[in-house]
Amino acid sequence: MRIPTDPDRTPEINVVALVDVLFAILTFFVITSLSLAYNEGLPVNLPTAGTSKSQGSTKIVITIDPQGAISLNRQSVDLVNLVPKIQTLIATEGQTLVIINADERVEHGRVVGIMDRVRQIPGVKLAIATQRKLSLYP
């Protein structure tokens, strides 16, 4: 039995299949990285800021949803009981950083009122959560 040889035919690599595999791997990593992002508060639309910095992990997060409802570490709380509950958390866990997650549609006066109450607690550092603004220019 004779095997035919074709000297005019050059070997080639099928690039289409390679590109399909690379796109599938890229899609996997993008979806995986998006699911690894962890938000400590309730889901709200945070405002963007170009000078935002990442803070260390904390246990005290105040969330203000678009309707103005307040949550402390994912548990609903009213404005009157907010300061005593934060003081209790500081006493038991020793945390001093309080992060405010306020939706961008919440009234400015509401956020300032909550910030004022939290700042009256001795030894508390206050931070406001934002999303990092993506810009085309460094």
Side-chain angles (χ1 to χ4, degrees):
M1 172 172 202
R2 182 171 170 235
I3 301 175
T5 59
D6 190 6
D8 296 336
R9 192 168 182 205
T10 59
E12 61 184 50
I13 297 175
N14 189 357
V15 179
V16 175
L18 180 65
V19 170
D20 287 343
V21 169
L22 289 177
F23 277 126
I25 293 172
L26 179 66
T27 304
F28 170 76
F29 283 119
V30 167
I31 291 173
T32 303
S33 67
L34 291 176
S35 68
L36 292 177
Y38 178 70
N39 187 4
E40 293 188 18
L42 296 173
V44 292
N45 294 324
L46 296 175
T48 59
T51 58
S52 63
K53 295 180 187 177
S54 178
Q55 297 291 328
S57 63
T58 183
K59 300 288 183 192
I60 302 175
V61 178
I62 299 172
T63 305
I64 309 168
D65 67 7
Q67 291 77 27
I70 304 169
S71 298
L72 179 65
N73 290 344
R74 294 183 174 250
Q75 295 179 354
S76 182
V77 65
D78 56 352
L79 189 58
V80 175
N81 294 328
L82 180 64
V83 172
K85 287 193 176 195
I86 292 174
Q87 289 173 335
T88 304
L89 287 172
I90 291 173
T92 59
E93 298 181 11
Q95 299 289 331
T96 59
L97 181 65
V98 177
I99 296 178
I100 296 181
N101 273 340
D103 193 279
E104 63 186 352
R105 294 175 293 212
V106 176
E107 294 179 7
H108 179 70
R110 178 97 169 140
V111 177
V112 170
I114 292 171
M115 288 174 57
D116 186 46
R117 287 179 183 249
V118 172
R119 288 185 71 196
Q120 293 175 2
I121 303 170
V124 167
K125 293 181 183 178
L126 189 63
I128 299 174
T130 61
Q131 290 181 351
R132 181 167 289 231
K133 181 189 280 186
L134 299 176
S135 67
L136 298 176
Y137 306 103

